[in-house]
Amino acid sequence: MGATARTRTGGADDAGADTLWTATPPLWLRSLPVALLAALVLAQGVTPNQVELGAYYAAVAPLAALAYGAPGTAITGAAVLGIMLLPRVGAGSLIADEFGAVAVITALSVVIAGVRQHFRGRLEVAGSVAEAAQLAVLTPVADRVGELRCAALYRAAQRGALVGGDLYDVRSGPYGVRALVADVQGHGLAAVGTVAALLGAFREAVLDQPDLQGVAARLERRLTLDAVAGAGGELFATALLMEFPGDGSHVRILSQGHPPALLLRGRTVLEMRCEPGPPLGTGLPGLPAATPTTVPLRPGDVILAYTDGVTEARDSSGTFYPLDDRLTALLAEGSDASPRAVVDAVWGDLQRRTGAMDDDVALLALAVPGAATTTSGGRAGSRRPDPGPPP
């Protein structure tokens, strides 16, 4: 999951584009009553005396009730009534009934503004509490976790929500820095409970599970128990787990049915292939458990993990967003390859090409500044020509 400028979790500076307005009204709305009053005065000034525009002044006070509180509406209404009594504006041709009607409408507008201000205050409190609760579930990722430089972006599909069905986290523990990107069944507020449960399980597992299989097993158990507690309802999630050792020489990746991460090496975009296991919570018999794949890293490498809300977004022709191709093009155009720049570039390009999206979107970019070259384990490949293992 607000005000006109509430920052959404880990995002770029486009917050408030799809959140509810409860804070200070925008400048254009606050200027509208004054502009209308000035236009009426000017119109009356150039209109023959026998033509009276007094009835139109009744529109000023209701507009003020939208833009100001009760005191501001009362002041604006008093100014309107005073202007209507000026000789050139209204006196002489002003109909008494018109003046009385404007006075009554002004009084009612003051009452409406007071009631609106009261409920807006209550809505702001409720919005602040809801935002704090959602941010407690999906806390913003720090710019640096251990040796990792991090950047993330989250956009929930449900209007006004900060958290939906996607999640990510980066935590440092006794076994290195571990990262999680996952997509739970469903999206929007209905999936927030599952997201909170998985994040809690991950944060505990980072501290006491010595390997990624143990972390994945902890997440699987959490989903299974929650499904049983929910009267047998099905719960499942795709997940991508990553583990970085202290020297930053490589990353271990374990996939539970999640889209593969991308490795940005210079101006090249490589797919970090690994043998995926089934999604968490499916409990499918006979399928082998997921095993980690080790991928060597070089200095300057950036890893971009994402959820399918990115790659399943469609443009006006119905074409899916080609993330790897677009990212390659953005890098070729000279885009910065830092984690924050990568996240912002992908999000901006996604918005330009696809417009409104009906699924949650999560992006997580990670870089190890001191990563050293190694020849052990894993491989990374392109979705186009396979360049073979990184040297």
Side-chain angles (χ1 to χ4, degrees):
M1 345 124 299
T4 53
R6 290 199 187 278
T7 302
R8 307 187 72 181
T9 309
D13 189 19
D14 64 344
D18 57 351
T19 52
L20 297 176
W21 162 54
T22 61
T24 303
L27 179 60
W28 67 266
L29 181 57
R30 287 182 281 128
S31 303
L32 198 55
V34 177
L36 177 59
L37 180 58
L40 288 172
V41 171
L42 179 62
Q44 187 68 74
V46 298
T47 301
N49 288 341
Q50 64 269 24
V51 179
E52 174 55 50
L53 302 179
Y56 296 99
Y57 285 92
V60 177
L63 280 178
L66 287 176
Y68 315 135
T73 304
I75 293 172
T76 303
V80 170
L81 295 174
I83 288 174
M84 290 180 68
L85 293 176
L86 294 177
R88 185 64 185 92
V89 176
S93 61
L94 182 66
I95 301 174
D97 288 346
E98 289 182 347
F99 185 87
V102 173
V104 171
I105 292 173
T106 297
L108 291 176
S109 298
V110 172
V111 173
I112 292 171
V115 173
R116 175 182 171 276
Q117 193 171 26
H118 170 72
F119 283 103
R120 190 180 73 181
R122 296 180 62 179
L123 184 58
E124 287 179 348
V125 171
S128 298
V129 172
E131 180 175 333
Q134 293 179 84
L135 292 178
V137 172
L138 190 66
T139 57
V141 172
D143 293 337
R144 185 177 293 272
V145 179
E147 292 299 314
L148 288 182
R149 289 181 294 138
C150 313
L153 179 141
Y154 191 99
R155 292 297 182 271
Q158 184 160 336
R159 180 178 176 85
L162 298 178
V163 180
D166 293 353
L167 62 135
Y168 53 71
D169 203 3
V170 184
R171 297 279 162 166
S172 180
Y175 306 102
V177 177
R178 288 169 171 170
L180 166 70
V181 177
D183 185 355
V184 309
Q185 173 191 10
H187 58 77
L189 293 179
V192 173
T194 306
V195 167
L198 281 179
L199 284 170
F202 171 73
R203 290 162 185 171
E204 289 291 329
V206 164
L207 300 176
D208 54 29
Q209 291 297 322
D211 52 45
L212 290 181
Q213 294 99 319
V215 177
R218 185 71 67 86
L219 299 178
E220 176 84 30
R221 185 181 69 174
R222 180 72 269 163
L223 279 179
T224 302
L225 292 175
D226 285 355
V228 172
E234 185 183 38
L235 287 177
F236 63 88
T238 65
L240 187 71
L241 290 161
M242 293 176 281
E243 181 179 84
F244 298 83
D247 62 0
S249 61
H250 60 276
V251 58
R252 285 184 285 272
I253 304 175
L254 186 145
S255 174
Q256 301 284 170
H258 197 81
L262 299 178
L263 176 65
L264 283 61
R265 176 165 291 168
R267 300 298 176 186
T268 303
V269 179
L270 308 172
E271 184 181 277
M272 304 180 75
R273 294 196 297 266
C274 61
E275 193 65 33
L280 299 169
T282 53
L284 298 176
L287 292 179
T291 56
T293 297
T294 302
V295 178
L297 297 176
R298 290 180 175 180
D301 284 351
V302 175
I303 297 172
L304 178 66
Y306 55 93
T307 57
D308 60 10
V310 177
T311 52
E312 293 182 2
R314 299 172 183 261
D315 61 18
S316 58
S317 66
T319 303
F320 290 117
Y321 181 73
L323 175 59
D324 54 344
D325 292 334
R326 291 303 306 152
L327 191 51
T328 300
L330 291 170
L331 293 174
E333 293 169 2
S335 294
D336 185 9
S338 67
R340 172 49 58 195
V342 168
V343 165
D344 290 346
V346 170
W347 174 243
D349 187 64
L350 184 65
Q351 287 183 298
R352 288 190 297 271
R353 294 179 65 89
T354 62
M357 284 159 282
D358 57 3
D359 197 3
D360 302 316
V361 169
L363 294 165
L364 177 65
L366 306 169
V368 183
T373 303
T374 177
T375 58
S376 63
R379 60 176 179 159
S382 170
R383 293 189 183 182
R384 297 172 298 280
D386 190 342

